[in-house]
Amino acid sequence: MAKTLGIHLAGRRFQLVALDGTFKKPKVRLCISGLAPQDEESSPHELLADELRSTAKEHRKQLVSDNIGLAVDSSMATFRSLSLPFAEPSKIEEVLKFEVENQLPQWDIDSVVVDFHTVTSSPVESKLLVTAVPKDELGDRHDRH
């Protein structure tokens, strides 16, 4: 039975959802919402990280997971379709930035966070939805809230 942890970050707020089971029959193991305090001396990003760390320590046994997903505001993200001649996730992760680099001329590939979702796959091909978000924008978004 798979254990999955979802993390959603939105400004000073966060949500954690821990699931057991399958995609067809998930069971919510834990659901936590939190809000980082306001403090003029620390950035909202640092306060949110501290609050997440504290929550994770408090609930560490319930947050053990096989998979972790992170959701952030995607208004600055770019999405691309990509086909590769293999389907192994480790191989995809190894070549992803190189394969998508020419599709992102607006950014230096080392300045973005790139991730993928497998749309379809077979032993000889995978079709992916690739997402790229500038690293600076991620930090800037959290610093503005």
Side-chain angles (χ1 to χ4, degrees), residues 114-135:
V114 179
D115 202 1
F116 70 95
H117 173 74
T118 303
V119 178
T120 61
S121 70
S122 70
V124 294
E125 181 183 39
S126 59
K127 294 188 182 204
L128 311 172
L129 175 62
V130 179
T131 307
V133 180
K135 292 175 184 177

Side-chain angles (χ1 to χ4, degrees), residues 2 9 17 29 42 49 70 74 82 85 98 100 104 110 113 131 139:
L9 303 177
V17 178
R29 184 169 21 119
S42 301
L70 173 66
S74 62
L82 181 66
F98 301 108
V100 78
L104 302 170
D110 292 326
V113 175
T131 307

Side-chain angles (χ1 to χ4, degrees), residues 10 43 63-64 70 72 77 99 116:
S43 77
L63 296 176
V64 173
L70 173 66
V72 294
E99 293 293 330
F116 70 95

Side-chain angles (χ1 to χ4, degrees), residues 29-76:
R29 184 169 21 119
L30 178 71
C31 183
I32 301 171
S33 294
L35 180 65
Q38 287 187 322
D39 181 354
E40 297 299 322
E41 295 179 21
S42 301
S43 77
H45 182 72
E46 291 169 350
L47 293 169
L48 182 61
D50 290 344
E51 193 67 26
L52 273 169
R53 224 178 272 111
S54 172
T55 301
K57 284 180 184 176
E58 183 179 340
H59 299 281
R60 69 179 161 263
K61 289 182 181 179
Q62 295 165 297
L63 296 176
V64 173
S65 296
D66 300 328
N67 301 301
I68 297 176
L70 173 66
V72 294
D73 179 9
S74 62
S75 65
M76 290 302 297

